[in-house]
Amino acid sequence: MGEFDLIARYFQRPTSRAVLGIGDDCALLQPATGMQLAISSDMLVEGRHFFADVDPSTLGHKALAVNLSDLAACGAQPLAFTLALALPRADEAWLAAFSRGLFALADEHGCELVGGDTTQGPLNICITVFGEVPHGQALLRSGARAGDDVYVSGTLGDARLALEALRGNITLPPGWMAAARIRLEQPSPRVALGMALRGVASAAIDISDGLIGDLGHILRAAQVGARIDTAIAVDLLAGDVDGRVAQGVFHHEARLACVLAGGDDYELAFTAPVSARAAVEAAALEARTPVTCIGNIESAPGLRLMDAAGQRVSGNFASFDHFA
Amino acid sequence: MGEFDLIARYFQRPTSRAVLGIGDDCALLQPATGMQLAISSDMLVEGRHFFADVDPSTLGHKALAVNLSDLAACGAQPLAFTLALALPRADEAWLAAFSRGLFALADEHGCELVGGDTTQGPLNICITVFGEVPHGQALLRSGARAGDDVYVSGTLGDARLALEALRGNITLPPGWMAAARIRLEQPSPRVALGMALRGVASAAIDISDGLIGDLGHILRAAQVGARIDTAIAVDLLAGDVDGRVAQGVFHHEARLACVLAGGDDYELAFTAPVSARAAVEAAALEARTPVTCIGNIESAPGLRLMDAAGQRVSGNFASFDHFA
């Protein structure tokens, strides 16, 4: 199977929103009047971002999901994406499953594949995604102000537990493992929440490298600090049933480490003024995505982790850095 | 050096045309009113698209050049690009040289780096480029009509000769090798010509996989055929001085094979109605890029290669396919 057959068979589909899709030197997009184009690009490498034996359909899902998560963090509506793919060989079963997982998520978000590249090489997946956001309404990292509440969406840390379980370092109860593995391999980008938070959140970021690391970007961008209530945060681990199983399986510090620095969560961390609390609740309802207030922004730089007694929590919760 | 230091040191620069560049979850572009956004993505893999010991500054140049060449083929003006980079390790000398070559070409075309990704992995460079083209004026592959002239820009085949020389298969005279190596490693995307051909060319494509293969895309897109005068085409090999050295070094068939199917040329192949001959000449002058008429479009499908005596040339000039 040649390069062009491969594209035609597994990736070329009619486009409805793009002016021109796969098949020419360029794709053509026509953003609606008054819209800005939000762009993000992520590269996934075997052994670094996924195991060699991962189900290719979940890999197709995840490769797009991590990009959609960046659009979500900006409050952008997904529009289209390009896919560049290096493959050791043209494996038809792999391609069929990969493209099935990819397009299932793409269709869910009305996001069209409009172009890309295929080549032979060590497995590498690079997706660049395009979304629309009304002029001036993109959520940025830089808008946090002292006094703002700090929120996170959904749950945190379970993807890291699934990763450690797959590495053989821990064992999770079966029901929990199944759910945690979905969090790791098929994360749900919080696109609806990001769009609902336009004009409500003062700053936002998606949590891909761990809460502490990614929240740190928000703090540095605005030169502010934050106080985080770890007694609330620790319960963000989904666990089996409302975290009750989690409490029985792992001690407090292990659960907290997963929540604060697990990585691969693809939830949103965001800030909003206290006056917007009702609006945040309404946005969460509209997006059918739970959000939890875990602390607040302070003018003094730095991140302060507090326990239930109001004491500083010590401990080194390092973030994930690809070159550290 | 961590991932964020690496980005800050080698890749983060102020943007002037993009609304938002590197440093947030997404970049933001605001296409001008009436403009469509042209998008292309190319992935370069070590051992497939470049040698492991290639000068990293020429690699930076080429990684962007092959993408700008796609914009050129659509007649789009470069605006911005994203860079996703998998690196075996954070080698500062390599990064400094790579980014220098990359930004030198980017600056030449007013094309800003607005975002991307870095990760550890087998060396892989994925650039996605964005350009603007007035609504409805993009050059497409599909517009060729019977009777149109067929043109190519610049010269063809020398990049392939440089590749064969670097592989040790042939020896080129030193002056020719130096020039041919620039064609292979630092191609000049024909951006100005593409823009000048808006409203003039009926179809266009960039020649990356060889003239025959890429011209074939134009023919299939319009369900037409072409007659190519190989006596003219063979002289498109640049050689040392007007191809005179080329004639002495390689026999006719070898030169023709390089011109027709060499690959890595990054010239434009385009068609235009006979009535537009003066306009094509004017576009070439405006873009300071020579163009040569090498044949014409015919209604009967297929590509017919003719010699000086008007006889069909036989021979299998295969195109480059990454999975053939």
Side-chain angles (χ1 to χ4, degrees):
Chain A
M1 182 172 48
E3 179 181 358
F4 302 113
D5 288 338
L6 185 161
I7 294 167
R9 191 169 312 172
Y10 296 107
F11 296 110
Q12 194 155 9
R13 308 201 309 176
T15 55
S16 61
R17 302 176 69 191
V19 178
L20 188 69
I22 289 175
D24 216 296
D25 289 70
C26 291
L28 292 174
L29 294 186
Q30 176 88 59
T33 306
M35 288 291 190
Q36 293 179 333
L37 206 74
I39 299 169
S40 178
S41 190
D42 274 299
M43 178 174 266
L44 271 64
V45 175
E46 184 178 296
R48 191 85 192 164
H49 300 92
F50 56 90
F51 293 105
D53 63 351
V54 69
D55 175 345
S57 79
T58 68
L59 184 58
H61 176 107
K62 185 161 180 175
L64 182 59
V66 302
N67 280 284
L68 291 174
S69 183
D70 285 313
L71 290 187
C74 287
Q77 177 161 26
L79 182 61
F81 68 105
T82 59
L83 166 69
L85 196 55
L87 296 168
R89 63 196 168 281
D91 175 334
E92 300 212 31
W94 191 95
L95 284 161
F98 177 84
S99 61
R100 189 173 63 242
L102 178 78
F103 284 126
L105 184 66
D107 291 346
E108 193 182 310
H109 291 279
C111 194
E112 298 179 331
L113 178 60
V114 294
D117 195 14
T118 57
T119 185
Q120 200 171 50
L123 185 54
N124 184 307
I125 303 156
C126 183
I127 286 181
T128 305
V129 75
F130 313 102
E132 281 187 330
V133 61
H135 182 92
Q137 289 189 35
L139 304 176
L140 304 182
R141 294 180 178 179
S142 54
R145 296 292 173 262
D148 283 0
D149 291 323
V150 176
Y151 296 86
V152 296
S153 66
T155 62
L156 294 178
D158 292 82
R160 179 57 175 269
L161 286 178
L163 180 68
E164 296 300 336
L166 289 173
R167 284 173 170 164
N169 296 334
I170 61 170
T171 302
L172 287 179
W176 186 1
M177 180 60 190
R181 194 163 176 169
I182 288 175
R183 290 305 309 265
L184 176 67
E185 296 181 344
Q186 294 175 283
S188 296
R190 300 305 189 186
V191 171
L193 180 63
M195 290 172 63
L197 287 172
R198 288 178 192 161
V200 176
S202 52
I205 191 169
D206 86 313
I207 305 174
S208 54
D209 296 336
L211 173 61
I212 287 183
D214 289 317
L215 187 56
H217 293 302
I218 283 186
L219 302 184
R220 278 189 298 278
Q223 299 186 288
V224 294
R227 166 182 297 249
I228 300 299
D229 186 338
T230 61
I232 296 176
V234 73
D235 286 335
L236 289 172
L237 203 67
D240 221 358
V241 184
D242 299 331
R244 274 175 288 164
V245 171
Q247 292 175 34
V249 176
F250 299 105
H251 59 75
H252 180 88
E253 282 69 26
R255 285 183 286 137
L256 191 57
C258 280
V259 166
L260 294 180
D264 257 352
D265 296 304
Y266 303 103
E267 295 291 352
L268 298 185
F270 62 97
T271 63
V274 172
S275 60
R277 280 180 183 170
V280 169
E281 274 182 45
L285 269 177
E286 181 190 334
R288 290 180 294 183
T289 308
V291 304
T292 306
C293 179
I294 59 166
N296 58 285
I297 298 293
E298 298 177 326
S299 52
L303 184 65
R304 289 165 285 282
L305 304 174
M306 314 306 288
D307 65 17
Q311 299 297 308
R312 289 284 289 270
V313 174
S314 60
N316 181 20
F317 301 100
S319 174
F320 194 80
D321 182 320
H322 285 286
F323 286 99
Chain B
M1 183 171 48
E3 179 181 358
F4 302 113
D5 289 337
L6 185 162
I7 294 167
R9 191 169 312 172
Y10 296 108
F11 296 110
Q12 194 155 8
R13 308 201 308 177
T15 55
S16 60
R17 302 176 68 190
V19 179
L20 188 69
I22 289 175
D24 216 295
D25 289 70
C26 292
L28 292 174
L29 294 186
Q30 176 87 60
T33 306
M35 288 291 191
Q36 293 179 333
L37 207 73
I39 299 169
S40 178
S41 191
D42 274 299
M43 179 174 265
L44 271 64
V45 175
E46 183 177 297
R48 191 87 192 161
H49 301 93
F50 55 90
F51 292 105
D53 64 350
V54 69
D55 175 345
S57 79
T58 67
L59 185 58
H61 175 107
K62 185 162 180 175
L64 182 59
V66 302
N67 279 284
L68 291 174
S69 183
D70 284 314
L71 290 187
C74 287
Q77 176 161 27
L79 182 61
F81 67 105
T82 59
L83 167 68
L85 196 55
L87 297 168
R89 63 196 170 281
D91 175 335
E92 299 213 32
W94 191 95
L95 284 161
F98 177 84
S99 62
R100 189 173 63 242
L102 179 78
F103 283 126
L105 184 67
D107 290 346
E108 192 181 311
H109 291 279
C111 194
E112 299 180 331
L113 178 60
V114 294
D117 195 13
T118 57
T119 185
Q120 199 170 51
L123 185 55
N124 184 306
I125 303 157
C126 183
I127 286 181
T128 304
V129 75
F130 313 101
E132 281 186 332
V133 61
H135 182 93
Q137 289 189 35
L139 304 177
L140 303 182
R141 295 180 178 179
S142 54
R145 296 293 172 261
D148 284 0
D149 292 323
V150 176
Y151 296 86
V152 296
S153 65
T155 61
L156 294 178
D158 293 82
R160 179 58 175 267
L161 286 178
L163 179 67
E164 297 300 335
L166 289 172
R167 284 174 170 161
N169 295 334
I170 60 169
T171 302
L172 288 179
W176 186 1
M177 180 61 190
R181 194 164 177 169
I182 289 175
R183 291 305 309 264
L184 176 67
E185 296 181 344
Q186 294 176 284
S188 296
R190 300 305 189 186
V191 171
L193 180 64
M195 291 172 63
L197 288 172
R198 287 178 192 161
V200 176
S202 51
I205 191 169
D206 86 312
I207 305 174
S208 53
D209 296 335
L211 173 61
I212 286 183
D214 290 316
L215 186 56
H217 293 302
I218 284 186
L219 303 184
R220 278 189 297 278
Q223 299 186 289
V224 294
R227 167 181 297 249
I228 299 299
D229 186 338
T230 61
I232 296 176
V234 73
D235 286 334
L236 289 172
L237 203 68
D240 221 358
V241 183
D242 299 330
R244 274 175 288 165
V245 171
Q247 292 175 34
V249 175
F250 299 105
H251 58 76
H252 180 88
E253 282 68 28
R255 285 183 286 136
L256 191 58
C258 280
V259 166
L260 295 179
D264 258 350
D265 296 303
Y266 303 103
E267 295 291 351
L268 298 186
F270 62 97
T271 62
V274 173
S275 60
R277 280 180 184 169
V280 169
E281 274 182 46
L285 269 175
E286 182 191 332
R288 290 180 294 183
T289 307
V291 303
T292 306
C293 179
I294 58 166
N296 58 283
I297 298 293
E298 298 177 327
S299 53
L303 184 64
R304 288 164 287 281
L305 304 173
M306 314 306 288
D307 66 16
Q311 300 297 307
R312 288 285 289 270
V313 174
S314 60
N316 181 20
F317 302 100
S319 173
F320 195 80
D321 181 322
H322 285 285
F323 286 98

